[in-house]
Amino acid sequence: MYKIVSAIFLAENIKKIEIEAPRIAKKRKAGQFVMIRVGESSERIPLTIADSDPEKGTISLIVQGMGKSTRELNCKAEGDSIHDIVGPLGTPSHIEKFGTAVSIGGGVGTAIAYPTAVALKEAGNYVITINGARSKELVILEPEMRAVSDEAYITTDDGSYGFHGFVTQKLQELLDSGKTIDYVLAIGPIPMMRAVAEVTRPYGIKTVVSLNPIMVDGTGMCGGCRVTVDNQTKFACVDGPEFDAHLVDFKNLSDRNKMYLPEERKSADLFAHKCNLNTLK
Amino acid sequence: MDAQHITTKERLAIPRQQMPSQDPVIRSHNFQEVNLGYTIEQAQREAQRCIQCKDPVCIKGCPVNIKIDQFIKLIADGNFLGAARKIKEDNVLPAICGRVCPQEDQCEKTCVLAKKYTPVAIGNLERFAADYERENGSVELPTVQPATGKKVAVIGSGPAGLSCANDLVQLGHAVTVFEALHELGGVLMYGIPEFRLPKEIVQAEIEGMKKLGVVFITNSVAGRSVTIDELLEEEGFDAIFIGVGAGLPWFMGIPGENLLGVYSANEFLTRVNLMKSYQFPDNDTPVFNCTGKNVAVFGGGNTAMDAVRTAKRLGAEHAYIVYRRSEAEMPARLEEVHHAKEEGIEFLMLMNPLEFVGNEEQWLTGAKCLRMELGEPDDSGRRRPVPIKGSEFILPVDMAIISIGNGSNPLIQQTTPDIEVSKRDTIVVDINTMATSKESVYAGGDIVTGGATVILAMGAGRTAAAAIHEKLMAAGE
Ligand SMILES: Cc1cc2nc3c(=O)[nH]c(=O)nc-3n(C[C@H](O)[C@H](O)[C@H](O)COP(=O)(O)OP(=O)(O)OC[C@H]3O[C@@H](n4cnc5c(N)ncnc54)[C@H](O)[C@@H]3O)c2cc1C
Ligand SMILES: Cc1cc2nc3c(=O)[nH]c(=O)nc-3n(C[C@H](O)[C@H](O)[C@H](O)COP(=O)(O)OP(=O)(O)OC[C@H]3O[C@@H](n4cnc5c(N)ncnc54)[C@H](O)[C@@H]3O)c2cc1C
Ligand code: SF4
Ligand code: SF4
Ligand code: FES
Ligand SMILES: [Mg+2]
């Protein structure tokens, strides 16, 4: 059992959870994730390590309630425990001094991009962050992102805060303004990552995305997380999760992620009956 | 039933005792064990078939050289606990090996009765003795030698790791087992299904080791959570045994393999056995709903048999084994093939998949296959399957499970560059000691041999334990 030392909502349905996991806290690098199992009958699900405190021996996860497993986790409070956590898994982000690096996060993808943005800054890059949300209340990690950015932009779909529009429009605006961009990291919903890849493709800018296929073990043992990159099959949990955006078959990824939709709906419905706790802020 | 006064002729006249099993129609809908085990009468009768050879050649067929003639005599004499203890002198997991060893290629193959009669059912008797001991609560904890002050780390809790840990802890060493998954037992837990090997039996063995003092740490991936060098240099381990198995599923590399509904056998079996998705939604992990569907498993080994029989139990209408050679070449245990047929599994031999085809939503709808025929023998003497021109056809299937074997997971090798590996990424060892090229690091089981058997993995774990012990004690002087 692994103890939760703090759990706070950052926005509606998005919770930051700090868990005791000293070995992971000591070893993790930007871009890596953990597999967790909330309770004894729960699924194993992957979550990116958003932050860690090696001294305190804790790691932080930022979780968006999607279905049963993430909502079950978001029902947990300080002092509760989760059954299993294993990591750090996945190949760490490739970090070097690229020059000007743009980190783009969509929704909870902002949390996944955050540790890599920190590492890019530490490596001496000029860091631009663009973080998108549907509306103002859903913007997360704004102060943290500002702290690591040379330029920080927020976009909202409804225009309630920051730039009115999508992250890709902001990126295009930067490119149109004649800015030289050497590296782009994009993490968020599949349509967003695919759209970013299309924006940078004509410019030949190195663009990396963090893929979110369905995982089981997270150690390379099952092949369930396979993605098609450059017409080759890769296991995202060990070969990734980060890949060259211009080579990823996004269609295959988004199709495969629909594999268990009826079952996921059933689990979520049953959970809604079971859990009376308000998972929202 | 006086075993002493029975002539050889009388012994040879006793028919081999059939293992009682659940009715095929009933069992193909449940996950309970298929084989029910011998009764005491059956076990003694089967034991009487053994003619107690002066030169018991059966022993040479057993990879760990169990004193087969002796334990069988103990069963014939009614000393079942004595038989169990005799077996345990050489095999620490008899209830498991009695169930899953490919006996027809090992001990029972060399039994003198095999040629003219039917071999003594050594595996069934081994299982009987071990079950008798466990079910009567008579398992004795072995004595543990005084503490040596030495620390050994074992990576992986499959049969190789468990047997190594078991020997070392009895020799007085402090043993910590690191396991990547949340559950202990390796393939015995996540691969081989309950209907063939009840998980309770595996857990009973592990509980026994905990009582002896073995410390188990789950959720710990060597190479990621902690490296071999860190264990040696920072955590003070004096030696390490690597028993991480062959856990990287091979795919066929044919078009359509990433369609929805195409699984590796590892994923399918892990979802069902480890994550208990056969109890969805009580357990959260989903798995393809096989009810009324057509499922094809590609391959002919034990894993393929386990996968296809699992699909049948989950309600598949048609469950096929598709294999490119003929039945004679299938590497699966004979008993599993026999059981699979009884359960209504359809065997499509001499057939090779070329491509998977799907619908608009990218769900699998069929496997394009080519029929084969047996041609000239190849170097190994086996007749090589050759395609029949123009024989392509589409086998309609909703789910495909690829079961063509596993490679080795390279995590440890990548993070420990001074361990020598083969071209196939397996770890290279000295087979007398299981020592790797790296000082104080040993390895055994599937990570060394590639996918093999439980008994070979267990034997390797024990060989390594003996070598580690010798090394540590010499160093201590
Ligand atoms: C490497 C990686 C890192 C991730 N990091 C984060 C993170 O930091 N924060 C966060 O909120 N989310 C993260 N995710 C996504 C998160 O794992 C899924 O939202 C979660 O598994 C959904 O589970 P559920 O039962 O709540 O929802 P469900 O309703 O079961 O699923 C919702 C959707 O999530 C996907 N999904 C379902 N099961 C899995 C699974 N076992 N593994 C992966 N995806 C699945 C499917 O596309 C599905 O349609 C990450 C995913 C990956 C692969
Ligand atoms: C479905 C199936 C059916 C089979 N049926 C039979 C049969 O009937 N008879 C027979 O004799 N053999 C059978 N086999 C083969 C047999 O199970 C294996 O040969 C045997 O389990 C190998 O043992 P092992 O200890 O080397 O590895 P495994 O049993 O594979 O155990 C390795 C363990 O190490 C863990 N691990 C992996 N990487 C790491 C890491 N980096 N850090 C920490 N832990 C790690 C794994 O999670 C696993 O628990 C079958 C195999 C399968 C898959
Ligand atoms: S361990 Fe396997 S090979 Fe050896 S006697 Fe038992 S069943 Fe036969
Ligand atoms: S070879 Fe067969 S008959 Fe002879 S001792 Fe062994 S089991 Fe008995
Ligand atoms: S999640 Fe099983 S191999 Fe990646
Ligand atoms: Mg789910």
Side-chain angles (χ1 to χ4, degrees):
Chain A
M1 299 292 266
Y2 300 80
K3 211 171 141 212
I4 295 176
V5 299
S6 78
I8 43 163
F9 278 106
L10 299 181
E12 186 182 314
N13 208 22
I14 299 182
K15 202 166 190 177
K16 181 172 178 183
I17 298 176
E18 193 182 353
I19 306 177
E20 262 174 21
R23 268 182 201 269
I24 305 175
K26 200 171 83 180
K27 284 217 74 118
R28 73 96 193 189
K29 295 204 173 73
Q32 289 189 297
F33 64 94
V34 289
M35 295 295 299
I36 67 145
R37 208 165 65 114
V38 179
E40 213 158 354
S41 57
S42 305
E43 309 178 89
R44 292 170 65 99
I45 60 162
L47 296 166
T48 303
I49 306 165
D51 213 342
S52 70
D53 186 336
E55 247 97 90
K56 212 164 137 198
T58 61
I59 61 167
S60 293
L61 308 174
I62 296 179
V63 193
Q64 179 169 33
M66 292 284 293
K68 159 90 195 254
S69 304
T70 46
R71 282 197 254 156
E72 191 181 24
L73 180 58
N74 278 357
C75 283
K76 297 280 172 194
E78 183 181 324
D80 291 345
S81 295
I82 60 169
H83 212 282
D84 295 288
I85 180 163
V86 56
L89 300 171
T91 304
S93 305
H94 173 80
I95 302 291
E96 60 178 86
K97 186 169 175 186
F98 297 102
T100 298
V102 181
S103 159
I104 303 175
V108 79
T110 301
I112 305 177
Y114 172 68
T116 307
V118 172
L120 285 166
K121 181 71 198 163
E122 281 167 1
N125 289 284
Y126 182 87
V127 173
I128 302 175
T129 56
I130 307 175
N131 293 302
R134 279 204 316 280
S135 65
K136 185 172 181 196
E137 311 79 65
L138 295 173
V139 172
I140 56 168
L141 299 182
E142 188 183 351
E144 287 85 350
M145 277 298 188
R146 287 203 186 281
V148 298
S149 309
D150 295 283
E151 292 173 38
Y153 302 98
I154 301 231
T155 71
T156 50
D157 298 358
D158 63 2
S160 52
Y161 189 53
F163 176 89
H164 184 178
F166 295 136
V167 289
T168 39
Q169 290 168 300
K170 185 72 218 174
L171 176 63
Q172 188 65 60
E173 201 183 270
L174 291 175
L175 287 163
D176 290 343
S177 74
K179 211 175 244 334
T180 319
I181 294 175
D182 304 292
Y183 176 87
V184 173
L185 168 77
I187 305 177
I190 295 169
M192 182 210 101
M193 295 193 284
R194 190 206 303 229
V196 169
E198 290 321 311
V199 170
T200 59
R201 193 188 301 273
Y203 298 86
I205 300 169
K206 183 176 168 62
T207 304
V208 167
V209 284
S210 180
L211 301 185
N212 60 338
I214 297 175
M215 295 187 175
V216 185
D217 59 302
T219 65
M221 185 268 275
C222 78
C225 64
R226 60 198 190 280
V227 290
T228 311
V229 181
D230 202 13
N231 292 316
Q232 284 181 315
T233 294
K234 299 278 179 194
F235 290 3
C237 70
V238 285
D239 301 323
E242 291 183 3
F243 292 99
D244 183 336
H246 297 143
L247 301 177
V248 169
D249 182 343
F250 287 106
K251 163 107 174 57
N252 185 238
L253 175 64
S254 94
D255 288 337
R256 282 182 65 81
N257 271 1
K258 297 189 183 111
M259 191 123 155
Y260 301 105
L261 284 182
E263 288 84 4
E264 286 163 358
R265 210 161 293 142
K266 187 166 182 179
S267 278
D269 287 348
L270 286 170
F271 185 66
H273 290 299
K274 250 190 258 167
C275 173
N276 301 318
L277 266 173
N278 185 6
T279 63
L280 309 181
K281 195 171 188 173
Chain B
M1 281 230 282
D2 188 347
Q4 319 302 323
H5 303 103
I6 169 172
T7 65
T8 300
K9 203 170 158 203
E10 282 168 330
R11 291 182 192 275
L12 293 174
I14 305 171
R16 179 169 158 129
Q17 300 298 297
Q18 287 298 316
M19 169 64 84
S21 60
Q22 268 196 75
D23 179 81
V25 178
I26 296 172
R27 74 178 190 238
S28 62
H29 298 288
N30 70 41
F31 279 84
Q32 279 136 43
E33 193 174 11
V34 170
N35 281 337
L36 303 172
Y38 277 164
T39 60
I40 288 180
E41 292 71 33
Q42 275 184 306
Q44 288 197 286
R45 204 136 166 76
E46 182 63 30
Q48 285 171 354
R49 294 184 62 233
C50 170
I51 58 172
Q52 293 291 316
C53 302
K54 279 220 178 60
D55 174 19
V57 283
C58 48
I59 296 180
K60 295 198 188 80
C62 170
V64 297
N65 307 124
I66 290 180
K67 298 168 202 95
I68 296 171
D69 55 329
Q70 295 181 30
F71 96 74
I72 292 182
K73 179 150 193 313
L74 287 163
I75 292 180
D77 292 346
N79 184 355
F80 308 132
L81 291 179
R85 277 154 208 169
K86 182 56 70 184
I87 299 170
K88 283 191 170 172
E89 290 173 12
D90 303 292
N91 180 347
V92 288
L93 305 169
I96 295 167
C97 293
R99 284 173 169 81
V100 305
C101 261
Q103 287 93 5
E104 69 268 19
D105 292 326
Q106 300 179 353
C107 51
E108 295 183 20
K109 185 181 186 178
T110 54
C111 169
V112 288
L113 302 192
K115 278 204 193 90
K116 253 177 101 182
Y117 308 88
T118 47
V120 175
I122 302 169
N124 290 349
L125 290 173
E126 181 174 341
R127 164 191 168 142
F128 169 80
D131 285 359
Y132 183 90
E133 186 191 38
R134 190 185 64 256
E135 284 162 10
N136 286 285
S138 307
V139 179
E140 278 179 349
L141 280 190
T143 42
V144 169
Q145 300 298 314
T148 61
K150 300 288 181 186
K151 278 174 70 182
V152 184
V154 169
I155 319 292
S157 64
L162 290 179
S163 56
C164 186
N166 189 61
D167 281 6
L168 287 169
V169 80
Q170 289 180 41
L171 291 164
H173 306 296
V175 183
T176 306
V177 178
F178 294 86
E179 167 57 48
L181 293 172
H182 58 261
E183 196 154 61
L184 301 166
V187 168
L188 305 178
M189 291 303 288
Y190 75 72
I192 303 180
E194 176 79 15
F195 60 79
R196 207 149 69 78
L197 176 63
K199 303 305 154 216
E200 193 194 336
I201 294 176
V202 182
Q203 292 310 314
E205 298 294 349
I206 292 169
E207 284 310 312
M209 292 181 202
K210 284 185 186 163
K211 286 200 193 114
L212 291 181
V214 176
V215 175
F216 289 95
I217 302 185
T218 51
N219 296 320
S220 193
V221 185
R224 290 277 198 232
S225 312
V226 65
T227 64
I228 300 296
D229 286 325
E230 285 164 348
L231 288 174
L232 287 171
E233 286 153 26
E234 292 168 27
E235 305 209 12
F237 285 98
D238 299 294
I240 295 184
F241 175 75
I242 302 173
V244 294
L248 184 94
W250 281 327
F251 286 88
M252 297 187 288
I254 62 176
E257 224 166 359
N258 293 343
L259 287 167
L260 284 72
V262 183
Y263 285 71
S264 72
N266 280 10
E267 180 183 0
F268 179 61
L269 292 171
T270 299
R271 282 182 181 272
V272 178
N273 296 331
L274 182 73
M275 306 311 298
K276 303 191 177 62
S277 54
Y278 64 95
Q279 293 167 339
F280 181 86
D282 292 336
N283 281 281
D284 293 341
T285 307
V287 69
F288 180 83
N289 184 352
C290 296
T291 312
K293 299 287 173 51
N294 296 334
V295 178
V297 177
F298 297 85
N302 287 320
T303 308
M305 295 304 139
D306 285 343
V308 78
R309 295 170 71 197
T310 298
K312 187 78 189 176
R313 281 163 172 73
L314 293 175
E317 165 93 27
H318 290 283
Y320 307 108
I321 283 284
V322 180
Y323 185 55
R324 55 191 289 267
R325 295 179 183 258
S326 70
E327 200 178 313
E329 280 91 17
M330 287 201 313
R333 293 179 78 225
L334 281 183
E335 187 183 36
E336 310 314 328
V337 175
H338 173 70
H339 280 159
K341 286 188 174 164
E342 283 184 342
E343 288 164 13
I345 305 302
E346 297 159 64
F347 283 66
L348 307 179
M349 298 293 101
L350 289 163
M351 202 176 276
N352 205 23
L354 299 175
E355 182 182 347
F356 291 113
V357 290
N359 64 16
E360 283 276 282
E361 283 88 43
Q362 300 299 299
W363 274 99
L364 178 74
T365 57
K368 190 189 218 183
C369 297
L370 187 67
R371 293 184 203 277
M372 317 285 280
E373 59 191 351
L374 287 180
E376 296 298 307
D378 58 17
D379 295 344
S380 68
R382 294 202 299 182
R383 291 179 67 193
R384 185 202 303 269
V386 289
I388 302 174
K389 277 211 181 68
S391 66
E392 290 95 343
F393 74 104
I394 291 192
L395 178 71
V397 288
D398 308 288
M399 181 194 202
I401 301 171
I402 318 289
S403 181
I404 57 165
N406 286 298
S408 37
N409 189 319
L411 276 183
I412 290 187
Q413 296 88 313
Q414 280 167 2
T415 49
T416 322
D418 46 345
I419 291 183
E420 188 189 340
V421 295
S422 74
K423 268 188 232 127
R424 298 181 305 148
D425 255 343
T426 53
I427 296 181
V428 176
V429 298
D430 168 350
I431 55 158
N432 298 312
T433 60
M434 300 289 149
T436 68
S437 60
K438 186 174 170 74
E439 179 76 23
S440 305
V441 179
Y442 298 73
D446 283 1
I447 186 62
V448 168
T449 53
T453 61
V454 171
I455 188 70
L456 285 174
M458 211 201 72
R462 300 200 75 193
T463 304
I468 290 171
H469 178 63
E470 195 173 318
K471 172 103 189 296
L472 293 182
M473 297 327 280
E477 275 159 19

